[in-house]
Structures are given as C-alpha cells and as structure tokens.
PDB file of all heavy atoms in Angstrom:
ATOM      1  N   LEU Z   1       0.141  -6.924 -16.252  1.00  0.00           N
ATOM      2  CA  LEU Z   1       1.557  -7.141 -16.084  1.00  0.00           C
ATOM      3  C   LEU Z   1       2.368  -5.929 -16.507  1.00  0.00           C
ATOM      4  O   LEU Z   1       3.387  -5.582 -15.876  1.00  0.00           O
ATOM      5  CB  LEU Z   1       1.975  -8.362 -16.928  1.00  0.00           C
ATOM      6  CG  LEU Z   1       1.440  -9.701 -16.420  1.00  0.00           C
ATOM      7  CD1 LEU Z   1       1.678 -10.810 -17.437  1.00  0.00           C
ATOM      8  CD2 LEU Z   1       2.027 -10.069 -15.062  1.00  0.00           C
ATOM      9  N   ILE Z   2       1.925  -5.234 -17.545  1.00  0.00           N
ATOM     10  CA  ILE Z   2       2.625  -3.990 -17.942  1.00  0.00           C
ATOM     11  C   ILE Z   2       2.485  -2.945 -16.839  1.00  0.00           C
ATOM     12  O   ILE Z   2       3.471  -2.238 -16.533  1.00  0.00           O
ATOM     13  CB  ILE Z   2       2.052  -3.499 -19.303  1.00  0.00           C
ATOM     14  CG1 ILE Z   2       2.406  -4.472 -20.433  1.00  0.00           C
ATOM     15  CG2 ILE Z   2       2.576  -2.092 -19.623  1.00  0.00           C
ATOM     16  CD1 ILE Z   2       1.699  -4.177 -21.755  1.00  0.00           C
ATOM     17  N   ALA Z   3       1.306  -2.834 -16.311  1.00  0.00           N
ATOM     18  CA  ALA Z   3       1.076  -1.857 -15.239  1.00  0.00           C
ATOM     19  C   ALA Z   3       1.941  -2.137 -14.011  1.00  0.00           C
ATOM     20  O   ALA Z   3       2.546  -1.238 -13.434  1.00  0.00           O
ATOM     21  CB  ALA Z   3      -0.416  -1.843 -14.856  1.00  0.00           C
ATOM     22  N   LEU Z   4       2.043  -3.416 -13.649  1.00  0.00           N
ATOM     23  CA  LEU Z   4       2.853  -3.790 -12.482  1.00  0.00           C
ATOM     24  C   LEU Z   4       4.318  -3.566 -12.706  1.00  0.00           C
ATOM     25  O   LEU Z   4       5.063  -3.147 -11.793  1.00  0.00           O
ATOM     26  CB  LEU Z   4       2.544  -5.191 -12.032  1.00  0.00           C
ATOM     27  CG  LEU Z   4       1.116  -5.460 -11.490  1.00  0.00           C
ATOM     28  CD1 LEU Z   4       0.839  -6.930 -11.270  1.00  0.00           C
ATOM     29  CD2 LEU Z   4       0.930  -4.670 -10.194  1.00  0.00           C
ATOM     30  N   ALA Z   5       4.786  -3.851 -13.932  1.00  0.00           N
ATOM     31  CA  ALA Z   5       6.212  -3.559 -14.246  1.00  0.00           C
ATOM     32  C   ALA Z   5       6.469  -2.066 -14.153  1.00  0.00           C
ATOM     33  O   ALA Z   5       7.512  -1.621 -13.657  1.00  0.00           O
ATOM     34  CB  ALA Z   5       6.505  -4.062 -15.634  1.00  0.00           C
ATOM     35  N   SER Z   6       5.526  -1.264 -14.623  1.00  0.00           N
ATOM     36  CA  SER Z   6       5.639   0.198 -14.517  1.00  0.00           C
ATOM     37  C   SER Z   6       5.685   0.660 -13.093  1.00  0.00           C
ATOM     38  O   SER Z   6       6.441   1.569 -12.725  1.00  0.00           O
ATOM     39  CB  SER Z   6       4.496   0.878 -15.276  1.00  0.00           C
ATOM     40  OG  SER Z   6       4.474   0.454 -16.647  1.00  0.00           O
ATOM     41  N   VAL Z   7       4.829   0.063 -12.231  1.00  0.00           N
ATOM     42  CA  VAL Z   7       4.821   0.424 -10.809  1.00  0.00           C
ATOM     43  C   VAL Z   7       6.163   0.113 -10.185  1.00  0.00           C
ATOM     44  O   VAL Z   7       6.693   0.858  -9.378  1.00  0.00           O
ATOM     45  CB  VAL Z   7       3.664  -0.257 -10.080  1.00  0.00           C
ATOM     46  CG1 VAL Z   7       3.795  -0.117  -8.571  1.00  0.00           C
ATOM     47  CG2 VAL Z   7       2.313   0.252 -10.556  1.00  0.00           C
ATOM     48  N   ALA Z   8       6.705  -1.070 -10.500  1.00  0.00           N
ATOM     49  CA  ALA Z   8       8.023  -1.452  -9.934  1.00  0.00           C
ATOM     50  C   ALA Z   8       9.075  -0.452 -10.363  1.00  0.00           C
ATOM     51  O   ALA Z   8       9.911  -0.013  -9.536  1.00  0.00           O
ATOM     52  CB  ALA Z   8       8.413  -2.837 -10.436  1.00  0.00           C
ATOM     53  N   LEU Z   9       9.079   0.005 -11.589  1.00  0.00           N
ATOM     54  CA  LEU Z   9      10.056   1.020 -12.063  1.00  0.00           C
ATOM     55  C   LEU Z   9       9.782   2.379 -11.449  1.00  0.00           C
ATOM     56  O   LEU Z   9      10.724   3.179 -11.302  1.00  0.00           O
ATOM     57  CB  LEU Z   9      10.028   1.088 -13.578  1.00  0.00           C
ATOM     58  CG  LEU Z   9      10.499  -0.166 -14.329  1.00  0.00           C
ATOM     59  CD1 LEU Z   9      10.291  -0.014 -15.817  1.00  0.00           C
ATOM     60  CD2 LEU Z   9      11.999  -0.413 -14.016  1.00  0.00           C
ATOM     61  N   LEU Z  10       8.562   2.628 -11.034  1.00  0.00           N
ATOM     62  CA  LEU Z  10       8.240   3.902 -10.413  1.00  0.00           C
ATOM     63  C   LEU Z  10       9.052   4.141  -9.161  1.00  0.00           C
ATOM     64  O   LEU Z  10       9.333   5.304  -8.778  1.00  0.00           O
ATOM     65  CB  LEU Z  10       6.720   3.936 -10.099  1.00  0.00           C
ATOM     66  CG  LEU Z  10       6.186   5.176  -9.357  1.00  0.00           C
ATOM     67  CD1 LEU Z  10       6.283   6.396 -10.289  1.00  0.00           C
ATOM     68  CD2 LEU Z  10       4.760   4.945  -8.916  1.00  0.00           C
ATOM     69  N   SER Z  11       9.429   3.062  -8.498  1.00  0.00           N
ATOM     70  CA  SER Z  11      10.199   3.208  -7.251  1.00  0.00           C
ATOM     71  C   SER Z  11      11.528   3.891  -7.477  1.00  0.00           C
ATOM     72  O   SER Z  11      12.082   4.499  -6.537  1.00  0.00           O
ATOM     73  CB  SER Z  11      10.397   1.844  -6.583  1.00  0.00           C
ATOM     74  OG  SER Z  11      11.163   0.985  -7.458  1.00  0.00           O
ATOM     75  N   LEU Z  12      12.015   3.879  -8.693  1.00  0.00           N
ATOM     76  CA  LEU Z  12      13.308   4.559  -8.990  1.00  0.00           C
ATOM     77  C   LEU Z  12      13.163   6.047  -8.801  1.00  0.00           C
ATOM     78  O   LEU Z  12      14.196   6.746  -8.538  1.00  0.00           O
ATOM     79  CB  LEU Z  12      13.739   4.251 -10.420  1.00  0.00           C
ATOM     80  CG  LEU Z  12      14.087   2.807 -10.752  1.00  0.00           C
ATOM     81  CD1 LEU Z  12      14.343   2.632 -12.261  1.00  0.00           C
ATOM     82  CD2 LEU Z  12      15.305   2.342  -9.942  1.00  0.00           C
ATOM     83  N   THR Z  13      11.989   6.599  -8.929  1.00  0.00           N
ATOM     84  CA  THR Z  13      11.819   8.050  -8.730  1.00  0.00           C
ATOM     85  C   THR Z  13      12.008   8.443  -7.287  1.00  0.00           C
ATOM     86  O   THR Z  13      12.136   9.680  -7.018  1.00  0.00           O
ATOM     87  CB  THR Z  13      10.425   8.511  -9.229  1.00  0.00           C
ATOM     88  OG1 THR Z  13       9.408   7.883  -8.438  1.00  0.00           O
ATOM     89  CG2 THR Z  13      10.202   8.124 -10.700  1.00  0.00           C
ATOM     90  N   SER Z  14      12.101   7.522  -6.360  1.00  0.00           N
ATOM     91  CA  SER Z  14      12.342   7.845  -4.953  1.00  0.00           C
ATOM     92  C   SER Z  14      13.827   8.220  -4.703  1.00  0.00           C
ATOM     93  O   SER Z  14      14.155   8.860  -3.713  1.00  0.00           O
ATOM     94  CB  SER Z  14      11.948   6.722  -4.048  1.00  0.00           C
ATOM     95  OG  SER Z  14      12.762   5.625  -4.220  1.00  0.00           O
ATOM     96  N   ILE Z  15      14.704   7.765  -5.600  1.00  0.00           N
ATOM     97  CA  ILE Z  15      16.139   7.925  -5.353  1.00  0.00           C
ATOM     98  C   ILE Z  15      16.549   9.376  -5.174  1.00  0.00           C
ATOM     99  O   ILE Z  15      17.292   9.684  -4.223  1.00  0.00           O
ATOM    100  CB  ILE Z  15      16.968   7.256  -6.497  1.00  0.00           C
ATOM    101  CG1 ILE Z  15      16.731   5.726  -6.447  1.00  0.00           C
ATOM    102  CG2 ILE Z  15      18.411   7.617  -6.426  1.00  0.00           C
ATOM    103  CD1 ILE Z  15      17.336   4.977  -7.616  1.00  0.00           C
ATOM    104  N   PRO Z  16      16.176  10.298  -6.053  1.00  0.00           N
ATOM    105  CA  PRO Z  16      16.579  11.723  -5.834  1.00  0.00           C
ATOM    106  C   PRO Z  16      16.074  12.296  -4.495  1.00  0.00           C
ATOM    107  O   PRO Z  16      16.756  13.134  -3.866  1.00  0.00           O
ATOM    108  CB  PRO Z  16      15.966  12.451  -7.012  1.00  0.00           C
ATOM    109  CG  PRO Z  16      15.670  11.428  -8.030  1.00  0.00           C
ATOM    110  CD  PRO Z  16      15.369  10.184  -7.295  1.00  0.00           C
ATOM    111  N   PHE Z  17      14.941  11.818  -4.014  1.00  0.00           N
ATOM    112  CA  PHE Z  17      14.369  12.356  -2.770  1.00  0.00           C
ATOM    113  C   PHE Z  17      15.149  11.880  -1.541  1.00  0.00           C
ATOM    114  O   PHE Z  17      15.137  12.511  -0.471  1.00  0.00           O
ATOM    115  CB  PHE Z  17      12.940  11.908  -2.620  1.00  0.00           C
ATOM    116  CG  PHE Z  17      12.021  12.502  -3.624  1.00  0.00           C
ATOM    117  CD1 PHE Z  17      11.780  11.850  -4.831  1.00  0.00           C
ATOM    118  CD2 PHE Z  17      11.316  13.703  -3.379  1.00  0.00           C
ATOM    119  CE1 PHE Z  17      10.942  12.402  -5.766  1.00  0.00           C
ATOM    120  CE2 PHE Z  17      10.468  14.238  -4.317  1.00  0.00           C
ATOM    121  CZ  PHE Z  17      10.275  13.578  -5.543  1.00  0.00           C
ATOM    122  N   LEU Z  18      15.905  10.752  -1.682  1.00  0.00           N
ATOM    123  CA  LEU Z  18      16.646  10.178  -0.552  1.00  0.00           C
ATOM    124  C   LEU Z  18      18.116  10.395  -0.665  1.00  0.00           C
ATOM    125  O   LEU Z  18      18.874   9.861   0.116  1.00  0.00           O
ATOM    126  CB  LEU Z  18      16.318   8.687  -0.436  1.00  0.00           C
ATOM    127  CG  LEU Z  18      14.846   8.325  -0.212  1.00  0.00           C
ATOM    128  CD1 LEU Z  18      14.594   6.828  -0.404  1.00  0.00           C
ATOM    129  CD2 LEU Z  18      14.434   8.725   1.217  1.00  0.00           C
ATOM    130  N   ARG Z  19      18.553  11.180  -1.598  1.00  0.00           N
ATOM    131  CA  ARG Z  19      19.975  11.360  -1.909  1.00  0.00           C
ATOM    132  C   ARG Z  19      20.730  12.072  -0.792  1.00  0.00           C
ATOM    133  O   ARG Z  19      21.886  11.861  -0.597  1.00  0.00           O
ATOM    134  CB  ARG Z  19      20.163  12.065  -3.232  1.00  0.00           C
ATOM    135  CG  ARG Z  19      21.564  12.183  -3.726  1.00  0.00           C
ATOM    136  CD  ARG Z  19      21.580  12.762  -5.107  1.00  0.00           C
ATOM    137  NE  ARG Z  19      21.000  11.875  -6.083  1.00  0.00           N
ATOM    138  CZ  ARG Z  19      20.510  12.239  -7.251  1.00  0.00           C
ATOM    139  NH1 ARG Z  19      20.503  13.518  -7.620  1.00  0.00           N
ATOM    140  NH2 ARG Z  19      19.998  11.345  -8.102  1.00  0.00           N
ATOM    141  N   SER Z  20      20.056  12.999  -0.118  1.00  0.00           N
ATOM    142  CA  SER Z  20      20.742  13.851   0.867  1.00  0.00           C
ATOM    143  C   SER Z  20      21.240  13.088   2.066  1.00  0.00           C
ATOM    144  O   SER Z  20      22.216  13.482   2.717  1.00  0.00           O
ATOM    145  CB  SER Z  20      19.815  14.958   1.312  1.00  0.00           C
ATOM    146  OG  SER Z  20      18.739  14.461   2.076  1.00  0.00           O
ATOM    147  N   GLY Z  21      20.548  12.004   2.454  1.00  0.00           N
ATOM    148  CA  GLY Z  21      20.925  11.242   3.642  1.00  0.00           C
ATOM    149  C   GLY Z  21      20.503  11.876   4.958  1.00  0.00           C
ATOM    150  O   GLY Z  21      20.759  11.326   6.011  1.00  0.00           O
ATOM    151  N   GLU Z  22      19.777  12.997   4.903  1.00  0.00           N
ATOM    152  CA  GLU Z  22      19.368  13.684   6.138  1.00  0.00           C
ATOM    153  C   GLU Z  22      18.066  13.139   6.667  1.00  0.00           C
ATOM    154  O   GLU Z  22      17.344  12.395   5.974  1.00  0.00           O
ATOM    155  CB  GLU Z  22      19.233  15.186   5.901  1.00  0.00           C
ATOM    156  CG  GLU Z  22      18.158  15.595   4.936  1.00  0.00           C
ATOM    157  CD  GLU Z  22      18.152  17.080   4.672  1.00  0.00           C
ATOM    158  OE1 GLU Z  22      18.747  17.833   5.439  1.00  0.00           O
ATOM    159  OE2 GLU Z  22      17.520  17.497   3.678  1.00  0.00           O
ATOM    160  N   THR Z  23      17.792  13.414   7.937  1.00  0.00           N
ATOM    161  CA  THR Z  23      16.541  12.975   8.542  1.00  0.00           C
ATOM    162  C   THR Z  23      15.381  13.943   8.159  1.00  0.00           C
ATOM    163  O   THR Z  23      15.611  15.070   7.703  1.00  0.00           O
ATOM    164  CB  THR Z  23      16.648  12.977  10.079  1.00  0.00           C
ATOM    165  OG1 THR Z  23      16.877  14.307  10.540  1.00  0.00           O
ATOM    166  CG2 THR Z  23      17.776  12.054  10.523  1.00  0.00           C
ATOM    167  N   VAL Z  24      14.173  13.468   8.372  1.00  0.00           N
ATOM    168  CA  VAL Z  24      13.033  14.321   8.116  1.00  0.00           C
ATOM    169  C   VAL Z  24      13.063  15.555   9.028  1.00  0.00           C
ATOM    170  O   VAL Z  24      12.820  16.683   8.585  1.00  0.00           O
ATOM    171  CB  VAL Z  24      11.712  13.534   8.396  1.00  0.00           C
ATOM    172  CG1 VAL Z  24      10.479  14.457   8.391  1.00  0.00           C
ATOM    173  CG2 VAL Z  24      11.526  12.416   7.382  1.00  0.00           C
ATOM    174  N   ASP Z  25      13.482  15.382  10.298  1.00  0.00           N
ATOM    175  CA  ASP Z  25      13.544  16.478  11.240  1.00  0.00           C
ATOM    176  C   ASP Z  25      14.540  17.556  10.730  1.00  0.00           C
ATOM    177  O   ASP Z  25      14.233  18.749  10.741  1.00  0.00           O
ATOM    178  CB  ASP Z  25      13.985  15.991  12.583  1.00  0.00           C
ATOM    179  CG  ASP Z  25      13.117  14.826  13.106  1.00  0.00           C
ATOM    180  OD1 ASP Z  25      13.297  13.751  12.569  1.00  0.00           O
ATOM    181  OD2 ASP Z  25      12.311  15.057  14.000  1.00  0.00           O
ATOM    182  N   ALA Z  26      15.740  17.080  10.312  1.00  0.00           N
ATOM    183  CA  ALA Z  26      16.755  18.020   9.844  1.00  0.00           C
ATOM    184  C   ALA Z  26      16.280  18.739   8.594  1.00  0.00           C
ATOM    185  O   ALA Z  26      16.519  19.976   8.414  1.00  0.00           O
ATOM    186  CB  ALA Z  26      18.045  17.299   9.586  1.00  0.00           C
ATOM    187  N   GLU Z  27      15.610  18.038   7.714  1.00  0.00           N
ATOM    188  CA  GLU Z  27      15.150  18.662   6.458  1.00  0.00           C
ATOM    189  C   GLU Z  27      14.095  19.738   6.738  1.00  0.00           C
ATOM    190  O   GLU Z  27      14.142  20.830   6.227  1.00  0.00           O
ATOM    191  CB  GLU Z  27      14.565  17.592   5.557  1.00  0.00           C
ATOM    192  CG  GLU Z  27      14.023  18.174   4.227  1.00  0.00           C
ATOM    193  CD  GLU Z  27      13.134  17.221   3.476  1.00  0.00           C
ATOM    194  OE1 GLU Z  27      12.745  16.205   4.067  1.00  0.00           O
ATOM    195  OE2 GLU Z  27      12.783  17.521   2.346  1.00  0.00           O
TER     196      GLU Z  27
END
C-alpha cells in the first residue's frame, strides 16, 4: 500500500514535462 501510494504521487512529476503545451513534433 505504501508503494502504490508512492506510485500514485509519482505521476505529479509529469507536470513539468507537460507545462509547455506544445506537441511532440513541435518540440
């Protein structure tokens, strides 16, 4: 349960990667 809670919180690290709003092609 601790590991799964940690995995759920891991998704927050995706936020900086998606901040620009651009497409993969444009990037």
Side-chain angles (χ1 to χ4, degrees):
L1 292 170
I2 293 171
L4 291 173
S6 302
V7 169
L9 293 174
L10 177 68
S11 62
L12 295 173
T13 62
S14 67
I15 293 173
F17 294 89
L18 298 169
R19 185 173 294 158
S20 67
E22 64 184 343
T23 64
V24 170
D25 308 72
E27 180 196 10

